[in-house]
Amino acid sequence: MNIILGIDTSCDDTAAAVVEGGTKVISNIVSTQTEIHTKYGGIVPELACRRHIEMIWPVVNEALSVAGIQLDDLSGLAVCNGPGLIGSLLIGCSFAKAICYSRNVPLLAVNHLEGHIFSVFLEEPKPSFPFLALIVSGGHTCLYRVDDFGAYRELGRTRDDAAGEAYDKVSKLLGLGYPGGPLIEKIAQKGNRSAIEFPRAYLQESFDFSFSGLKTAVLNFVKRNELSLTLKDTSRIAHHTSLNDVAASFQASVIDVLVRKTEWAIEKEGIRRVVLTGGVAANRELRKRMKEMGHEQEAEVFIPSPFFCTDNAAMIASAGYCHLNAGNIAGLDLNPKAYMPL
Ligand code: KG4
Ligand code: ZN
């Protein structure tokens, strides 16, 4: 039956999922740590890994019990071994190795970015190969050409901040809170996207991205206009028109660059299938704009449901299934890596 348990502890979510045949999600449990990190305005790595230690067993148990299976029913256990926060990755990897050793289950090592790409195979419609994959998350912004399972060519990546990181940092400097993406998206809906002309780093002739200049431009604008709210004042946000305009204009800048670069990649690679995934792909405006671009370019655009765009373990199990079929079994000396290109 090929039942894979997936585990992801790469960042601040403890996630476990059971997936059958690489595509059928039987259970998908994510325990977020938002309430722990919110007051610091970002993830505190030491607190993240301590929480993973507390949550890993309950989350895995829940994934198994919702699926109605036991460890002995597993065909394989897929764990994300990087890239990510090293302390957090260590918890998931050590836990996975212990189970695989004690129950004699094949261990499957999955790159987090490969997992994000495979989130698109958890739902219908599924793309056929080759396709372009734009991964936009808190830690990554990269564009790949995907010719098959295991055949990934990086076309571009961010040279500084990831798109989600820019959302989180701008949210912090506006005094909105963490994680920034959903908070900025919410107030941006009430703002004017053309109110402020923030820069767009198109980096001509390159598929690389850069968002740190945009972040600095927002900071300078806020300082000049004394716009930032303190956390105490968030009740006023809904009525704070200027702040809404900053959020909408910032978001427009990020989305314009992501969509335009994907459009160029469609033209250059001659591939008319695009997968958009990663936490920022949960953003409604980005989803809408990418689909509109696809329509204009006569390209198919595949975007997983928001729950599969953000970190989850079903995507890890899906990629793990392909590793199992390819006979790509990891040794029990598997080590996590904070930096691990696909
Ligand atoms: O993929 P993910 O869950 O974790 C990483 O691998 O990083 O992505 C998290 C990132 C955060 O930076 C968060 O602010 C951003 O995704 N994000 C969003 C939205 N939801 C989450 N960004 C923009 N709009 C959203 N609705
Ligand atoms: Zn991720």
Side-chain angles (χ1 to χ4, degrees), residues 93-108:
C93 284
S94 309
F95 185 87
K97 288 196 286 187
I99 288 186
C100 290
Y101 176 66
S102 62
R103 301 297 176 118
N104 203 20
V105 174
L107 177 66
L108 310 158

PDB file of all heavy atoms in Angstrom, residues 93-108:
ATOM      1  N   CYS A  93      15.174  14.667  12.748  1.00  0.00           N
ATOM      2  CA  CYS A  93      16.055  13.617  12.207  1.00  0.00           C
ATOM      3  C   CYS A  93      16.367  12.558  13.264  1.00  0.00           C
ATOM      4  O   CYS A  93      16.329  11.351  12.979  1.00  0.00           O
ATOM      5  CB  CYS A  93      17.357  14.226  11.684  1.00  0.00           C
ATOM      6  SG  CYS A  93      17.138  15.038  10.101  1.00  0.00           S
ATOM      7  N   SER A  94      16.670  12.989  14.480  1.00  0.00           N
ATOM      8  CA  SER A  94      17.007  12.024  15.531  1.00  0.00           C
ATOM      9  C   SER A  94      15.802  11.139  15.838  1.00  0.00           C
ATOM     10  O   SER A  94      15.915   9.919  15.992  1.00  0.00           O
ATOM     11  CB  SER A  94      17.425  12.734  16.829  1.00  0.00           C
ATOM     12  OG  SER A  94      18.412  13.681  16.545  1.00  0.00           O
ATOM     13  N   PHE A  95      14.650  11.764  15.905  1.00  0.00           N
ATOM     14  CA  PHE A  95      13.412  11.021  16.186  1.00  0.00           C
ATOM     15  C   PHE A  95      13.155   9.992  15.072  1.00  0.00           C
ATOM     16  O   PHE A  95      12.875   8.822  15.343  1.00  0.00           O
ATOM     17  CB  PHE A  95      12.259  12.025  16.280  1.00  0.00           C
ATOM     18  CG  PHE A  95      10.961  11.419  16.671  1.00  0.00           C
ATOM     19  CD1 PHE A  95      10.625  11.271  18.014  1.00  0.00           C
ATOM     20  CD2 PHE A  95      10.059  10.997  15.708  1.00  0.00           C
ATOM     21  CE1 PHE A  95       9.416  10.709  18.381  1.00  0.00           C
ATOM     22  CE2 PHE A  95       8.854  10.432  16.069  1.00  0.00           C
ATOM     23  CZ  PHE A  95       8.526  10.283  17.408  1.00  0.00           C
ATOM     24  N   ALA A  96      13.279  10.443  13.819  1.00  0.00           N
ATOM     25  CA  ALA A  96      13.019   9.564  12.676  1.00  0.00           C
ATOM     26  C   ALA A  96      14.001   8.392  12.660  1.00  0.00           C
ATOM     27  O   ALA A  96      13.619   7.240  12.421  1.00  0.00           O
ATOM     28  CB  ALA A  96      13.134  10.358  11.380  1.00  0.00           C
ATOM     29  N   LYS A  97      15.264   8.672  12.920  1.00  0.00           N
ATOM     30  CA  LYS A  97      16.273   7.598  12.897  1.00  0.00           C
ATOM     31  C   LYS A  97      15.982   6.567  13.986  1.00  0.00           C
ATOM     32  O   LYS A  97      16.142   5.365  13.771  1.00  0.00           O
ATOM     33  CB  LYS A  97      17.677   8.192  13.077  1.00  0.00           C
ATOM     34  CG  LYS A  97      18.147   8.951  11.843  1.00  0.00           C
ATOM     35  CD  LYS A  97      19.637   9.214  11.842  1.00  0.00           C
ATOM     36  CE  LYS A  97      20.041  10.281  12.816  1.00  0.00           C
ATOM     37  NZ  LYS A  97      21.465  10.646  12.679  1.00  0.00           N
ATOM     38  N   ALA A  98      15.553   7.044  15.154  1.00  0.00           N
ATOM     39  CA  ALA A  98      15.266   6.118  16.257  1.00  0.00           C
ATOM     40  C   ALA A  98      14.121   5.183  15.882  1.00  0.00           C
ATOM     41  O   ALA A  98      14.187   3.968  16.113  1.00  0.00           O
ATOM     42  CB  ALA A  98      14.917   6.916  17.518  1.00  0.00           C
ATOM     43  N   ILE A  99      13.083   5.738  15.259  1.00  0.00           N
ATOM     44  CA  ILE A  99      11.943   4.890  14.865  1.00  0.00           C
ATOM     45  C   ILE A  99      12.374   3.903  13.785  1.00  0.00           C
ATOM     46  O   ILE A  99      12.061   2.711  13.850  1.00  0.00           O
ATOM     47  CB  ILE A  99      10.768   5.759  14.354  1.00  0.00           C
ATOM     48  CG1 ILE A  99      10.148   6.487  15.538  1.00  0.00           C
ATOM     49  CG2 ILE A  99       9.728   4.897  13.640  1.00  0.00           C
ATOM     50  CD1 ILE A  99       8.918   7.263  15.225  1.00  0.00           C
ATOM     51  N   CYS A 100      13.113   4.388  12.792  1.00  0.00           N
ATOM     52  CA  CYS A 100      13.525   3.509  11.686  1.00  0.00           C
ATOM     53  C   CYS A 100      14.417   2.383  12.194  1.00  0.00           C
ATOM     54  O   CYS A 100      14.312   1.235  11.742  1.00  0.00           O
ATOM     55  CB  CYS A 100      14.233   4.318  10.605  1.00  0.00           C
ATOM     56  SG  CYS A 100      13.080   5.384   9.731  1.00  0.00           S
ATOM     57  N   TYR A 101      15.274   2.702  13.150  1.00  0.00           N
ATOM     58  CA  TYR A 101      16.171   1.685  13.718  1.00  0.00           C
ATOM     59  C   TYR A 101      15.376   0.655  14.522  1.00  0.00           C
ATOM     60  O   TYR A 101      15.534  -0.553  14.331  1.00  0.00           O
ATOM     61  CB  TYR A 101      17.206   2.377  14.612  1.00  0.00           C
ATOM     62  CG  TYR A 101      18.130   1.419  15.329  1.00  0.00           C
ATOM     63  CD1 TYR A 101      19.035   0.632  14.604  1.00  0.00           C
ATOM     64  CD2 TYR A 101      18.107   1.307  16.713  1.00  0.00           C
ATOM     65  CE1 TYR A 101      19.884  -0.241  15.258  1.00  0.00           C
ATOM     66  CE2 TYR A 101      18.960   0.430  17.372  1.00  0.00           C
ATOM     67  CZ  TYR A 101      19.842  -0.345  16.644  1.00  0.00           C
ATOM     68  OH  TYR A 101      20.669  -1.220  17.284  1.00  0.00           O
ATOM     69  N   SER A 102      14.485   1.145  15.368  1.00  0.00           N
ATOM     70  CA  SER A 102      13.785   0.216  16.264  1.00  0.00           C
ATOM     71  C   SER A 102      12.724  -0.604  15.536  1.00  0.00           C
ATOM     72  O   SER A 102      12.447  -1.735  15.928  1.00  0.00           O
ATOM     73  CB  SER A 102      13.166   0.971  17.445  1.00  0.00           C
ATOM     74  OG  SER A 102      12.217   1.880  16.966  1.00  0.00           O
ATOM     75  N   ARG A 103      12.111  -0.059  14.475  1.00  0.00           N
ATOM     76  CA  ARG A 103      11.026  -0.776  13.779  1.00  0.00           C
ATOM     77  C   ARG A 103      11.449  -1.308  12.412  1.00  0.00           C
ATOM     78  O   ARG A 103      10.619  -1.808  11.653  1.00  0.00           O
ATOM     79  CB  ARG A 103       9.811   0.135  13.584  1.00  0.00           C
ATOM     80  CG  ARG A 103       9.242   0.671  14.866  1.00  0.00           C
ATOM     81  CD  ARG A 103       8.718  -0.476  15.729  1.00  0.00           C
ATOM     82  NE  ARG A 103       8.263   0.026  17.003  1.00  0.00           N
ATOM     83  CZ  ARG A 103       7.021  -0.053  17.431  1.00  0.00           C
ATOM     84  NH1 ARG A 103       6.101  -0.623  16.701  1.00  0.00           N
ATOM     85  NH2 ARG A 103       6.703   0.419  18.617  1.00  0.00           N
ATOM     86  N   ASN A 104      12.713  -1.113  12.088  1.00  0.00           N
ATOM     87  CA  ASN A 104      13.226  -1.591  10.805  1.00  0.00           C
ATOM     88  C   ASN A 104      12.428  -1.025   9.610  1.00  0.00           C
ATOM     89  O   ASN A 104      12.000  -1.758   8.724  1.00  0.00           O
ATOM     90  CB  ASN A 104      13.207  -3.129  10.785  1.00  0.00           C
ATOM     91  CG  ASN A 104      14.206  -3.659   9.779  1.00  0.00           C
ATOM     92  OD1 ASN A 104      15.125  -2.934   9.389  1.00  0.00           O
ATOM     93  ND2 ASN A 104      14.017  -4.886   9.342  1.00  0.00           N
ATOM     94  N   VAL A 105      12.240   0.283   9.654  1.00  0.00           N
ATOM     95  CA  VAL A 105      11.498   0.979   8.595  1.00  0.00           C
ATOM     96  C   VAL A 105      12.518   1.737   7.732  1.00  0.00           C
ATOM     97  O   VAL A 105      13.449   2.342   8.267  1.00  0.00           O
ATOM     98  CB  VAL A 105      10.503   1.996   9.226  1.00  0.00           C
ATOM     99  CG1 VAL A 105       9.823   2.847   8.153  1.00  0.00           C
ATOM    100  CG2 VAL A 105       9.469   1.283  10.072  1.00  0.00           C
ATOM    101  N   PRO A 106      12.370   1.722   6.388  1.00  0.00           N
ATOM    102  CA  PRO A 106      13.305   2.481   5.551  1.00  0.00           C
ATOM    103  C   PRO A 106      13.242   3.990   5.851  1.00  0.00           C
ATOM    104  O   PRO A 106      12.149   4.560   5.925  1.00  0.00           O
ATOM    105  CB  PRO A 106      12.828   2.202   4.126  1.00  0.00           C
ATOM    106  CG  PRO A 106      12.007   0.963   4.216  1.00  0.00           C
ATOM    107  CD  PRO A 106      11.409   0.947   5.591  1.00  0.00           C
ATOM    108  N   LEU A 107      14.419   4.584   6.001  1.00  0.00           N
ATOM    109  CA  LEU A 107      14.516   6.029   6.278  1.00  0.00           C
ATOM    110  C   LEU A 107      14.696   6.773   4.951  1.00  0.00           C
ATOM    111  O   LEU A 107      15.545   6.397   4.127  1.00  0.00           O
ATOM    112  CB  LEU A 107      15.709   6.294   7.199  1.00  0.00           C
ATOM    113  CG  LEU A 107      16.015   7.752   7.546  1.00  0.00           C
ATOM    114  CD1 LEU A 107      14.893   8.368   8.392  1.00  0.00           C
ATOM    115  CD2 LEU A 107      17.348   7.865   8.313  1.00  0.00           C
ATOM    116  N   LEU A 108      13.906   7.820   4.736  1.00  0.00           N
ATOM    117  CA  LEU A 108      13.959   8.570   3.487  1.00  0.00           C
ATOM    118  C   LEU A 108      14.281  10.022   3.818  1.00  0.00           C
ATOM    119  O   LEU A 108      13.583  10.642   4.629  1.00  0.00           O
ATOM    120  CB  LEU A 108      12.611   8.467   2.770  1.00  0.00           C
ATOM    121  CG  LEU A 108      12.104   7.012   2.634  1.00  0.00           C
ATOM    122  CD1 LEU A 108      10.601   6.964   2.443  1.00  0.00           C
ATOM    123  CD2 LEU A 108      12.831   6.296   1.504  1.00  0.00           C
TER     124      LEU A 108
END
